[in-house]
Amino acid sequence: MLCLSGPIPLKSAADPPLTQRMKYIWVIVAALLAGPVHAQWRMSFPTAWEAGWAFLAQDEFCELGIEIPEYAHARFVGAAGGGMAGELSFELQALRDDFAPGPVMVASAAPGWHPEAGQQQRLGTVIHIPGGGVVAHEPLARNMLHQLQRGYAVGFDHPTSFSTQHEVKLILAAKDLRPALDAFMRCLEPPRRISWAALSRARLTYEVDAHALSAEDKQLLRHIVDYVGADPSITRIFVDGHTDASGTKRHNNRLSQRRAGTVKRYLIDAGLDAGMIVERYHGPRYPVASNQDAAGKARNRRTTVRLSRETPIRSLAARGE
């Protein structure tokens, strides 16, 4: 049986005065060692209420994960651009091994606020990794993610490593899942055929004072790398860093240089020839919108990537034809 806690009523400051409604959320993760002898053994993670699910993109992988403070990190992992038909896995990486040897049962249950409250379903067993953690592969991992999408809690239930008379119950719930899940699904989407018009003048934008690349920026740059690799007529790539008019001239020049340099380094690391990349930085000198309002400044904080093709006439001349 899954050990679900809650519901616990919370008030939101955003609710209208005098008409505040009770919102219910379920414990994201809780672990309980049950039994009369070891009743004092109780593992709880109070800060997990604030954690929620998070999305992380690496160059080749997409991750949908949640931190379990002082215990473990749970995550779904898929190949970037591999599509939802690609291989999906689930990993629980624990700091200690509380599970006894053998496969670990995993099940789902609808929490009290759910229209299907009380419904439970055994999903199968996951692989126990000695030293701490479990792993699930297709199709179980996909089914686990589907249960969370439905709003169900997904729980693990297994005897403890020190006594077969007592069990570890670990529950993951869908708190704050939707935004992270949407980003995870976008990361899994296979690359689309993008036109020359869309890639030849690409633009990356930033938050204030930022120069790091977002997951979306990296995906766009990977498309550019693939396009350049497939089109030998592209001979130059112009990378231009820009800022808004906030801050000093010296600060903005350095910031625009860091923005352009970060993009250039990513393109080189992804396989492009450094000799074909022209890096330039301009500070706030070339705005594309007004610097008098926040929206205009947001547009001006940018790095542009422009692809340049060799003309047919020059190409023929270079070959002596």
Side-chain angles (χ1 to χ4, degrees), residues 8 31 47-48 95 109 113 126 135 143 166 171 177 181 183 216 233 257 263 265 267 273:
I8 297 177
T47 57
L95 298 177
W113 54 263
V126 294
V135 174
N143 193 9
H166 307 93
I171 298 171
L177 175 67
L181 176 63
E216 290 77 11
S233 70
Q257 184 178 19
V263 172
R265 285 193 298 274
L267 294 174
D273 181 1

Coordinates of all heavy atoms in Angstrom, one line a residue, residues 8 31 47-48 95 109 113 126 135 143 166 171 177 181 183 216 233 257 263 265 267 273:
I8 N -2.8 18.9 2.8 CA -2.6 20.0 3.7 C -3.0 21.3 3.1 O -2.6 21.7 2.0 CB -1.1 20.1 4.0 CG1 -0.6 18.8 4.7 CG2 -0.7 21.3 4.9 CD1 0.9 18.7 5.0
A31 N 9.6 9.2 3.2 CA 10.0 7.9 3.4 C 9.7 7.5 4.8 O 9.9 8.2 5.7 CB 11.5 7.7 3.1
T47 N 12.0 20.3 3.5 CA 12.2 21.3 2.4 C 11.8 20.8 1.1 O 11.7 21.6 0.1 CB 13.7 21.7 2.4 OG1 14.5 20.5 2.1 CG2 14.1 22.3 3.7
A48 N 11.4 19.5 0.9 CA 10.9 19.0 -0.4 C 9.6 19.7 -0.8 O 9.2 19.6 -1.9 CB 10.8 17.5 -0.3
L95 N 21.8 8.8 -1.6 CA 23.1 8.9 -0.9 C 23.4 7.7 0.0 O 24.5 7.5 0.4 CB 23.0 10.2 0.0 CG 22.8 11.5 -0.7 CD1 22.6 12.6 0.3 CD2 24.0 11.8 -1.7
A109 N -0.9 6.0 -7.4 CA -2.2 6.2 -6.7 C -2.6 7.6 -6.9 O -1.8 8.5 -6.9 CB -2.0 5.9 -5.2
W113 N -7.3 14.9 -3.8 CA -7.9 16.0 -4.5 C -8.2 15.5 -6.0 O -9.0 16.2 -6.7 CB -6.9 17.2 -4.6 CG -5.6 16.9 -5.2 CD1 -4.5 16.6 -4.4 CD2 -5.2 16.7 -6.5 NE1 -3.4 16.4 -5.2 CE2 -3.8 16.4 -6.5 CE3 -5.8 16.8 -7.7 CZ2 -3.1 16.2 -7.7 CZ3 -5.1 16.6 -8.9 CH2 -3.8 16.3 -8.9
V126 N 11.2 -2.1 -10.4 CA 12.4 -1.4 -10.9 C 13.7 -2.1 -10.4 O 13.6 -2.9 -9.5 CB 12.4 0.1 -10.5 CG1 11.3 0.9 -11.1 CG2 12.4 0.2 -9.0
V135 N 16.7 1.9 -11.0 CA 16.7 2.3 -12.4 C 15.5 1.6 -13.1 O 15.2 0.4 -12.8 CB 18.0 1.9 -13.1 CG1 17.9 2.1 -14.6 CG2 19.2 2.6 -12.6
N143 N 5.6 4.7 -18.5 CA 4.4 4.6 -17.8 C 4.4 5.4 -16.5 O 3.4 6.0 -16.1 CB 4.1 3.1 -17.5 CG 2.7 2.9 -17.0 OD1 1.8 3.8 -17.1 ND2 2.4 1.6 -16.6
H166 N 10.4 -4.7 8.0 CA 10.1 -3.3 7.9 C 10.3 -2.8 6.4 O 11.2 -3.3 5.7 CB 10.9 -2.4 8.9 CG 10.8 -3.0 10.3 ND1 11.7 -3.9 10.8 CD2 9.9 -2.7 11.2 CE1 11.4 -4.2 12.0 NE2 10.3 -3.5 12.3
I171 N 7.6 8.2 -2.1 CA 6.6 8.7 -2.9 C 7.0 10.0 -3.7 O 7.5 10.9 -3.1 CB 5.3 9.0 -2.1 CG1 4.8 7.7 -1.5 CG2 4.2 9.6 -3.0 CD1 3.7 7.9 -0.5
L177 N 4.9 20.1 -11.7 CA 5.4 19.2 -12.8 C 5.2 19.9 -14.2 O 6.1 19.8 -15.0 CB 4.7 17.9 -12.8 CG 5.0 16.9 -13.9 CD1 6.5 16.5 -13.8 CD2 4.1 15.7 -13.9
L181 N 7.8 19.7 -17.2 CA 7.4 18.7 -18.1 C 7.3 19.2 -19.6 O 7.8 18.6 -20.5 CB 6.1 18.0 -17.7 CG 5.6 16.9 -18.7 CD1 6.6 15.8 -18.8 CD2 4.2 16.4 -18.3
A183 N 8.9 21.8 -20.8 CA 10.3 22.0 -21.3 C 11.0 20.7 -21.7 O 11.7 20.6 -22.7 CB 11.1 22.8 -20.3
E216 N 17.3 26.5 -25.0 CA 16.8 26.9 -26.3 C 17.9 27.5 -27.2 O 17.9 27.2 -28.4 CB 15.6 27.9 -26.2 CG 14.3 27.3 -25.6 CD 14.4 27.1 -24.1 OE1 15.4 27.7 -23.4 OE2 13.6 26.5 -23.5
S233 N 28.7 25.8 -49.2 CA 28.7 27.2 -49.7 C 28.8 28.3 -48.6 O 29.1 29.4 -48.9 CB 27.5 27.5 -50.6 OG 26.3 27.6 -49.9
Q257 N 31.1 41.5 -25.4 CA 32.2 40.6 -25.8 C 32.0 39.2 -25.2 O 32.2 38.2 -25.9 CB 33.5 41.2 -25.4 CG 34.7 40.4 -25.8 CD 36.1 41.0 -25.4 OE1 36.1 41.8 -24.5 NE2 37.1 40.6 -26.0
V263 N 29.0 32.3 -27.5 CA 28.4 31.7 -28.7 C 29.5 31.1 -29.6 O 29.3 30.0 -30.1 CB 27.5 32.7 -29.5 CG1 27.1 32.2 -30.8 CG2 26.3 33.2 -28.6
R265 N 32.5 30.1 -28.8 CA 33.1 28.9 -28.2 C 32.1 27.7 -28.3 O 32.6 26.5 -28.6 CB 33.4 29.1 -26.7 CG 34.6 30.0 -26.5 CD 35.0 29.9 -25.0 NE 34.0 30.5 -24.1 CZ 33.9 31.7 -23.8 NH1 34.7 32.7 -24.4 NH2 32.9 32.2 -23.0
L267 N 29.9 27.1 -30.8 CA 30.0 26.7 -32.2 C 31.3 25.9 -32.5 O 31.2 24.9 -33.2 CB 29.9 27.9 -33.1 CG 28.5 28.7 -33.1 CD1 28.6 29.9 -33.9 CD2 27.4 27.8 -33.5
D273 N 34.7 25.1 -37.8 CA 36.0 25.6 -37.9 C 36.1 27.0 -37.3 O 35.4 27.9 -37.8 CB 36.4 25.6 -39.4 CG 37.8 26.1 -39.6 OD1 38.6 26.4 -38.7 OD2 38.2 26.1 -40.8

